[in-house]
């Protein structure tokens, strides 16, 4: 039996509950592709699943859905990029050797050398051709941050000339939201910490606000759209003040307003913008799979810029 290296979550808790193990290599069903994973990443969703740190009123539904004492799907991780190693008998969209990227949805399983993915979009994931001009590591940023940013900005209905404030502009979804909003011809004000201001301006932000500055609330203007790229669980006086900074008829959206739509057609649109150079995915740092614990520890510090990737296999 062929085996593979994988990361399992042995119970809910700190990063140290993650362990490297050997598992049987999955075999694709007729409607699945087997992906040789070259990179995955540590997302906020992975942190929530590993730690089970959710709002108290969501704890019971969360445990019933994910697992009572540990994740039911032992191998966690929900974003991947890699190369198609095998296809099921009914698969037509992909061929062996295709470079792909996507999200695994409720199937999880991205923290491994191989993962099976359904060809068709569903709650079990979505998969598409990877942008040709970026690394596998950067592709995980484009997949996760791109889908979150696209869903939020599409919901906001941004029009040319709109004044848009993006809170959490230096994260995985925030860095892409800034670039996408500029592509939509908005005037972008980006909120992040002081050490990231110059970098966020280099991505196209017209104005920046340092949320750690004592007078940051006084620098707020009036905005047609406020985009929350950190999620509702994270709060600050400035974030609360942003609620009152909407212009009449303004819209406020958050990356966790609703479940993320797993849509390969969106991944295709993200790929087109990345290949044109309109969107540049941002990777803060990469860790090898054997350092998955250290990667989770770093992400939990809350200071990353863009994505934190995990290199699983060598580039092909």
């Amino acid at each position: 039996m062929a085996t593979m290296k994988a990361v399992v979550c042995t119970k809910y808790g700190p990063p140290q509950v993650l362990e490297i193990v050997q598992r049987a290599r999955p075999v694709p069903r007729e409607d699945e592709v087997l992906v040789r994973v070259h990179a995955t990443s540590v997302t906020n969703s992975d942190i929530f699943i590993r730690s089970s740190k959710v709002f108290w009123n969501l704890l019971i539904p969360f445990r019933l859905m994910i697992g009572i004492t540990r994740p039911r799907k032992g191998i966690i991780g929900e974003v991947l990029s890699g190369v198609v190693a095998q296809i099921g008998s009914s698969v037509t969209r992909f061929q062996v050797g295709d470079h792909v990227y996507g999200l695994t949805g409720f199937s999880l399983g991205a923290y491994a050398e191989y993962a099976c993915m359904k060809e068709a979009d569903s709650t079990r994931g979505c998969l598409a051709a990877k942008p040709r001009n970026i690394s596998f590591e950067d592709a995980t940023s484009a997949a996760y941050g791109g889908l979150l940013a696209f869903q939020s900005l599409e919901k906001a209905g941004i029009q040319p000339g709109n004044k848009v404030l993006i809170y959490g502009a230096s994260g995985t979804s925030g860095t892409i939201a800034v670039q996408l909003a500029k592509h939509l011809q908005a005037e972008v004000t980006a909120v992040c910490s002081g050490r990231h201001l110059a970098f966020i301006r280099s991505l196209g932000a017209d104005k920046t606000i340092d949320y750690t500055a004592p007078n940051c609330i006084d620098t707020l203007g009036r905005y047609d759209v406020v985009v929350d790229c950190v999620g509702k669980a994270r709060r600050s006086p400035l974030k609360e003040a942003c609620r009152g900074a909407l212009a009449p008829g303004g819209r406020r959206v958050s990356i966790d307003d609703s479940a993320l739509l797993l849509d390969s057609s969106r991944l295709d649109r993200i790929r087109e913008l990345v290949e044109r150079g309109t969107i540049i995915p941002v990777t803060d740092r990469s860790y090898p799979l054997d350092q998955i614990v250290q990667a989770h520890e770093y992400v939990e510090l809350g200071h990353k810029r863009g994505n934190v990737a995990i290199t699983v296999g060598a580039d092909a």
Side-chain angles (χ1 to χ4, degrees):
M1 178 188 296
T3 62
M4 65 176 183
K5 184 186 293 186
V7 174
V8 297
C9 185
T10 59
K11 60 182 177 180
Y12 296 117
Q16 289 72 25
V17 301
L18 300 174
E19 292 184 1
I20 305 288
V21 298
Q22 289 290 321
R23 285 288 173 88
R25 184 185 302 178
V27 176
R29 298 177 179 177
E30 64 177 17
D31 60 344
E32 293 180 335
V33 301
L34 178 68
V35 178
R36 169 65 168 102
V37 180
H38 285 254
T40 180
S41 66
V42 180
T43 70
N44 286 334
S45 297
D46 297 331
I47 299 294
F48 287 134
I49 290 171
R50 187 215 75 225
S51 66
S52 186
K53 288 182 180 178
V54 297
F55 288 126
W56 65 268
N57 58 322
L58 297 177
L59 183 59
I60 292 177
F62 173 88
R63 292 291 184 96
L64 289 174
M65 180 172 62
I66 302 298
I68 301 301
T69 61
R70 62 184 178 182
R72 196 171 292 111
K73 303 281 188 180
I75 304 172
I76 63 171
E78 66 168 347
V79 57
L80 58 76
S81 65
V83 178
V84 175
Q86 186 179 345
I87 61 173
S89 59
S90 68
V91 171
T92 59
R93 286 180 57 216
F94 302 102
Q95 297 293 327
V96 172
D98 286 350
H99 289 206
V100 293
Y101 76 142
L103 269 66
T104 60
F106 288 133
S107 296
L108 302 179
Y111 285 2
E113 291 179 319
Y114 289 88
C116 283
M117 297 279 291
K118 294 287 186 184
E119 177 184 30
D121 297 348
S122 71
T123 57
R124 292 169 59 85
C126 61
L127 194 67
K130 165 190 166 293
R132 292 170 294 182
N133 59 328
I134 60 174
S135 68
F136 289 106
E137 288 78 8
D138 284 345
T140 65
S141 175
Y144 185 73
L147 286 176
L148 285 169
F150 267 64
Q151 179 161 307
S152 295
L153 269 62
E154 286 177 4
K155 179 181 178 182
I158 292 173
Q159 300 297 315
N162 276 172
K163 294 184 176 181
V164 177
L165 181 139
I166 297 175
Y167 190 96
S170 61
T172 309
S173 60
T175 50
I176 292 181
V178 168
Q179 297 173 79
L180 180 58
K182 288 302 299 179
H183 173 66
L184 297 172
Q185 302 177 50
E187 179 185 301
V188 176
T189 298
V191 178
C192 58
S193 66
R195 65 182 174 278
H196 296 317
L197 295 180
F199 174 73
I200 295 304
R201 284 194 290 267
S202 77
L203 295 180
D206 299 287
K207 302 175 182 177
T208 53
I209 297 175
D210 177 1
Y211 72 82
T212 66
N215 64 339
C216 59
I217 292 176
D218 298 333
T219 63
L220 287 171
R222 282 286 180 264
Y223 307 98
D224 302 296
V225 176
V226 172
V227 182
D228 170 17
C229 283
V230 298
K232 298 172 184 175
R234 296 176 65 177
R235 300 174 183 175
S236 73
L238 175 61
K239 189 177 180 184
E240 293 304 309
C242 290
R243 294 177 179 272
L246 282 174
R251 288 91 66 198
R252 183 177 183 275
V253 296
S254 175
I255 57 171
D256 56 4
D257 277 340
S258 57
L260 180 61
L261 180 62
L262 301 179
D263 184 350
S264 60
S265 66
R266 272 190 181 147
L267 288 175
D268 288 336
R269 288 160 54 205
I270 293 166
R271 182 186 71 247
E272 291 169 1
L273 291 176
V274 170
E275 290 181 345
R276 286 184 212 159
T278 303
I279 288 178
I280 301 172
V282 176
T283 299
D284 182 321
R285 58 179 69 179
S286 297
Y287 292 82
L289 187 65
D290 288 343
Q291 293 181 15
I292 190 71
V293 170
Q294 293 91 322
H296 271 246
E297 289 174 337
Y298 177 65
V299 172
E300 284 197 316
L301 294 175
H303 303 316
K304 69 183 179 70
R305 184 173 76 181
N307 184 51
V308 170
I310 303 295
T311 299
V312 182
D315 280 2

